[in-house]
Amino acid sequence: MKNSYSSLIFFLALGIFGIITSEMGMIGVLPQVAQKFHIAPSEAGYLVSAFALIVAISGPFLTLLTSGMNRKVILLSAILMFAISNLVYACTTSFEVILAFRIVPAFFHPLFFSIALATVASLVPPEKSSKAVTKVMAGVTVGFAFGVPITSYLSTKISLEAAFLFGAIVSVIAFIGILVWLPSMPVKERMSFGKQLGILRKPQLWLTILIVVMIFTAMSSVYSYFAEYLGEVTHMNGTWISVMLMVFGVTMIAGNFLFGFFLNKSMTKTIILFPLVYTVIYLFTYYWGSHFWPMAVIVFVWGAVHSGGLILSQALLMTDAKEAPEFGNSLFVSFSNVGITVGTWIGGLFISQLGAHQLIWSGIMLLSLAFILIIIKAAISKSHVEKASMN
């Protein structure tokens, strides 16, 4: 039984790895896409922005609509769609076709995430659920650490088609693993739309959603321009920037499990300390960003702390959405993408108006807002606990 759980967790994590590789890997190959289809880089960027927009908008609604379907069927359908889409990317000679097959799998992205996380949590004992979810979420950090660089490397050294075929192969392997290891999971008692939507009546949930958006906005406002900052401020060449991206991703994997451990010890303390620790990283980046080796050390720590934002945000939101876990996870996927979109826009404004070095202050200001919101939430939660104990 233990081996079957371990295998299932691995293949669910592999599925998430494949989805992240397909989603974020496109960023690293946009120049080759623009060249292949003879389009402007800004037009090629629609492949990224359209995907993120569909994920942000569709997630909660599709999770509601599919809440009565067999969970195994949805997971298999979602990962199969990513495999097919990558095959289409590799074979097509039409940009319109590749854009269409970016939009279609984007609808399945939040479904796979929300159901995979809820499924693994439901199949293990309650005391092991957070650890199991952390292991599946590792697919995100491993995707950043290896999936994105491998996609970029294959497109540069072999061909754009080879890069897309890599994404297809990963998704096919995940499909086979889920098919073999996940039992059929028909919905025995469908949760009504009203009950799932009912969690949206909780004021503390909306405060948590705002915190999640603010954390992702603060992180992505700087991380989205990571390569540009290292190039302009630290004066690293393309090779060193690639190395730093790899280092950042690898330490994200370590941070994934480190923050999982801290969450199990004390969720409240970990969440309160997170924006403060991240602010220290940003301050070191600002004052030492022009120095090569100190910056390399900062990137090493930065990656580990960055992954904490993913783990903490998901855990925090699920504490307020535990009555409808799949719907809650879909809210996490959607609103984290809202944060990424807004953060990228804010970071772009800072760079265009103030320059790359001042970009860091966008992250610091947004982290300050996140910290204030977290303190407000902690105070409200403490007040509720005290009232409950008095009653």
Side-chain angles (χ1 to χ4, degrees):
M1 184 66 73
K2 184 178 180 180
N3 288 337
S4 64
Y5 282 146
S6 298
S7 298
L8 175 59
I9 287 171
F10 171 79
F11 285 111
L12 288 174
L14 185 65
I16 287 179
F17 168 82
I19 290 174
I20 290 296
T21 298
S22 298
E23 177 187 7
M24 305 306 296
M26 186 64 76
I27 295 173
V29 300
L30 284 182
Q32 291 93 324
V33 170
Q35 185 178 9
K36 176 180 178 179
F37 296 102
H38 308 291
I39 57 176
S42 58
E43 192 176 351
Y46 293 150
L47 298 175
V48 177
S49 57
F51 190 101
L53 184 63
I54 294 297
V55 170
I57 294 173
S58 68
F61 303 106
L62 286 176
T63 303
L64 284 173
L65 290 174
T66 59
S67 58
M69 294 177 62
N70 189 305
R71 316 327 276 153
K72 181 173 183 176
V73 171
I74 295 176
L75 289 171
L76 289 174
S77 300
I79 201 65
L80 181 61
M81 180 52 65
F82 275 89
I84 292 171
S85 296
N86 276 285
L87 286 173
V88 171
Y89 304 157
C91 298
T92 188
T93 56
S94 167
F95 178 73
E96 287 72 21
V97 171
I98 202 172
L99 181 59
F101 276 85
R102 281 293 282 178
I103 293 172
V104 173
F107 287 104
F108 289 89
H109 176 288
L111 282 177
F112 189 93
F113 263 77
S114 59
I115 292 174
L117 296 176
T119 295
V120 74
S122 68
L123 290 176
V124 298
E127 66 275 9
K128 295 182 179 180
S129 62
S130 62
K131 185 178 289 187
V133 168
T134 298
K135 289 179 179 178
V136 173
M137 283 288 286
V140 176
T141 51
V142 177
F144 276 99
F146 298 108
V148 175
I150 288 173
T151 301
S152 179
Y153 177 83
L154 289 174
S155 68
T156 303
K157 298 297 183 181
I158 303 177
S159 68
L160 188 59
E161 290 76 16
F164 292 139
L165 287 174
F166 168 70
I169 291 168
V170 170
S171 294
V172 168
I173 294 172
F175 176 90
I176 295 170
I178 294 169
L179 180 66
V180 172
W181 292 105
L182 180 64
S184 178
M185 297 185 68
V187 177
K188 297 176 182 176
E189 186 177 345
R190 178 175 178 171
M191 188 180 295
S192 68
F193 289 171
K195 188 173 182 181
Q196 294 183 75
L197 289 170
I199 65 172
L200 297 176
R201 298 192 190 100
K202 298 162 65 175
Q204 66 266 33
L205 175 64
W206 286 104
L207 179 56
T208 299
I209 287 172
L210 188 56
I211 290 170
V212 169
V213 171
M214 198 58 65
I215 286 174
F216 273 85
T217 303
M219 296 194 303
S220 61
S221 67
V222 179
Y223 177 71
S224 296
Y225 304 96
F226 182 84
E228 186 166 349
Y229 188 89
L230 293 180
E232 290 195 20
V233 179
T234 316
H235 304 297
M236 290 186 177
N237 60 29
T239 301
W240 272 106
I241 290 173
S242 297
V243 171
M244 289 297 101
L245 281 167
M246 180 72 79
V247 168
F248 189 96
V250 170
T251 56
M252 275 186 71
I253 300 173
N256 185 81
F257 293 100
L258 182 65
F259 276 92
F261 172 80
F262 288 148
L263 274 176
N264 284 330
K265 291 291 183 181
S266 175
M267 178 181 287
T268 302
K269 288 181 181 178
T270 304
I271 290 171
I272 289 173
L273 288 173
F274 173 76
L276 300 178
V277 173
Y278 212 125
T279 298
V280 171
I281 296 295
Y282 276 164
L283 287 172
F284 273 101
T285 302
Y286 182 78
Y287 288 107
W288 292 91
S290 58
H291 301 275
F292 190 97
W293 289 112
M295 190 60 198
V297 175
I298 291 167
V299 168
F300 187 87
V301 181
W302 186 357
V305 176
H306 187 85
S307 68
L310 281 69
I311 301 299
L312 298 180
S313 297
Q314 193 271 342
L316 186 63
L317 201 151
M318 289 312 297
T319 58
D320 290 328
K322 55 182 177 290
E323 299 89 349
E326 290 178 4
F327 184 59
N329 278 316
S330 72
L331 291 173
F332 166 71
V333 175
S334 291
F335 283 102
S336 61
N337 272 274
V338 170
I340 291 169
T341 304
V342 175
T344 303
W345 175 70
I346 292 174
L349 285 179
F350 266 75
I351 284 183
S352 62
Q353 299 297 320
L354 303 172
H357 193 203
Q358 305 305 320
L359 168 70
I360 302 301
W361 291 106
S362 69
I364 291 174
M365 288 190 294
L366 291 163
L367 282 172
S368 299
L369 292 175
F371 179 71
I372 292 170
L373 292 171
I374 289 169
I375 292 298
I376 292 172
K377 180 175 174 59
I380 292 173
S381 298
K382 185 178 179 181
S383 174
H384 286 167
V385 169
E386 289 175 351
K387 286 181 180 178
S389 62
M390 290 175 64
N391 294 333

